[in-house]
Amino acid sequence: MARTLILVFCLFLVAGCASIPRTGGPKPAGEISAQELCRKYNIECRWDPVSQTITMFYLNKKIQGMVGSDMVVTDKNRIALSAPLYRKHGAVIFPPDFERAVFGPASVPQEDYVRGAQSGRLRKVVVDAGHGGKDPGAIGVGGLKEKDVVLDIARRVKKDFEAAGVTVVMTRDSEDFISLADRTMMASQPDVDLFVSIHANANKTRRANGIEVYYVGALSRDDKGEDQRLANEKKICSLYNMRSDIPDLRAVAMDMLYAYKCAFSPGLSDAVAQGLAHEVPRQSRGSKPERFFVLRNTLIPAVLVEVGFVTNPKEAALLKDNAFRQRLADSITKSVLRFVYASGI
Ligand SMILES: [Zn+2]
């Protein structure tokens, strides 16, 4: 994909950033052409005729949209518009809500608008309780099962998010077994902002202890071509009205999403690890990159929290304790919210 992106940008350079298509004829009220936007905000716009992608630079922010898609990606946001971008007499036309969603109303200072919008920014989180059903996960001291510990903590995280006004989708809210593929499919909806997976650790050494948080590590070409990832991409493309039948266009769109995911996941993981280190009296094993299935096959910022070792006698006792589970859940939720509102994800 990276290669495709480079190719696209090379073509774009060769093509001389072709001039931005000119304003076409009359447009429905509220719609605005790329040329009008560039003039109004005095911004740099680049049009790539190969991928039909338009890139704008505004206040050090990169904004990318694609003709035919109702999704726009900025450095910090993935914005779903009311209608797809389209071309009319050669001009790229944005729907009426684009300007407000990306630039803010002209009468309101940009910073105030951004701050105000942030409070409602986190719409939906997928909370993933690891394992379940026939898959018990790690089995620890006294037969303590990872699947039971993490389901209870995930339910507490759900309640905490809901108390903060965030909608939660649980990948499982019962004993049932849910495949890893289905878990990532649940995260491939346009209105899902984050994926938080809860697991518990195990080790042959009973001494091993502490809490660690993971984000997705560098993906190989094979990882990016993984069947499940492609299925999720197709799903998200159709939900965003992107044409998934043209591989190059889909690759550009997925690069946009992947860059967005990678821009946020490490910071989110660090924030959760730091929050837990301060708020839960256990050793912090830090925040690390990994290639876990649910991290590499989700197309949104994602973290996986290992809440402690069920094989460590002291931690197993704590992980059975309701107050400790609540403390973990409170800290995970608060850390995510703190990070989201500080970064404007
Ligand atoms: Zn696990």
Side-chain angles (χ1 to χ4, degrees), residues 130-131 135-138 146-147 150 197-202 304-306:
H131 313 279
D135 170 17
E146 178 184 358
K147 68 172 183 178
V150 298
S197 186
I198 316 277
H199 283 254
N201 242 326
L304 186 148
V305 186
E306 295 274 7

Side-chain angles (χ1 to χ4, degrees), residues 100-294:
R100 187 185 171 89
V102 176
F103 298 96
S107 56
V108 180
Q110 180 71 10
E111 281 192 11
D112 287 356
Y113 173 78
V114 170
R115 214 175 295 129
Q118 275 171 16
S119 58
R121 188 138 286 162
L122 196 60
R123 296 160 299 177
K124 199 183 272 183
V125 174
V126 170
V127 175
D128 174 48
H131 313 279
K134 65 184 181 188
D135 170 17
I139 300 197
V141 180
L144 182 64
K145 292 189 185 95
E146 178 184 358
K147 68 172 183 178
D148 299 330
V149 172
V150 298
L151 177 59
D152 185 59
I153 294 170
R155 283 174 170 156
R156 292 170 191 269
V157 170
K158 175 182 191 264
K159 276 195 187 145
D160 282 353
F161 271 126
E162 285 174 347
V166 178
T167 304
V168 171
V169 174
M170 300 275 283
T171 53
R172 71 175 177 101
D173 196 7
S174 70
E175 269 307 301
D176 298 343
F177 173 79
I178 305 286
S179 72
L180 293 175
D182 286 345
R183 293 169 197 253
T184 63
M185 285 291 259
M186 287 183 214
S188 302
Q189 297 283 341
D191 60 344
V192 176
D193 295 312
L194 289 179
F195 183 87
V196 179
S197 186
I198 316 277
H199 283 254
N201 242 326
N203 198 288
K204 275 181 238 148
T205 315
R206 286 158 63 94
R207 278 201 309 277
N209 71 92
I211 296 172
E212 55 199 5
V213 187
Y214 291 98
Y215 57 93
V216 71
L219 295 186
S220 69
R221 224 184 135 148
D222 285 351
D223 288 339
K224 288 192 177 185
E226 200 166 358
D227 286 349
Q228 190 53 49
R229 191 178 174 83
L230 295 178
N232 293 349
E233 283 182 359
K234 257 195 165 149
K235 183 177 173 191
I236 212 159
C237 274
S238 69
L239 290 167
Y240 273 128
N241 293 317
M242 285 174 185
R243 294 185 57 182
S244 60
D245 54 330
I246 304 175
D248 277 359
L249 293 194
R250 199 175 79 196
V252 172
M254 288 309 120
D255 271 326
M256 281 158 57
L257 278 182
Y258 186 60
Y260 166 78
K261 173 189 170 111
C262 290
F264 281 100
S265 297
L268 179 65
S269 172
D270 291 356
V272 175
Q274 278 165 21
L276 285 162
H278 282 110
E279 292 153 8
V280 178
R282 300 305 306 155
Q283 186 212 164
S284 172
R285 300 168 67 95
S287 160
K288 308 161 185 179
E290 249 296 351
R291 291 175 55 265
F292 293 129
F293 186 97
V294 293

Side-chain angles (χ1 to χ4, degrees), residues 83-97:
L85 277 57
Y86 70 97
R87 290 190 70 184
K88 186 169 183 182
H89 305 304
V92 177
I93 310 290
F94 293 87
D97 56 336

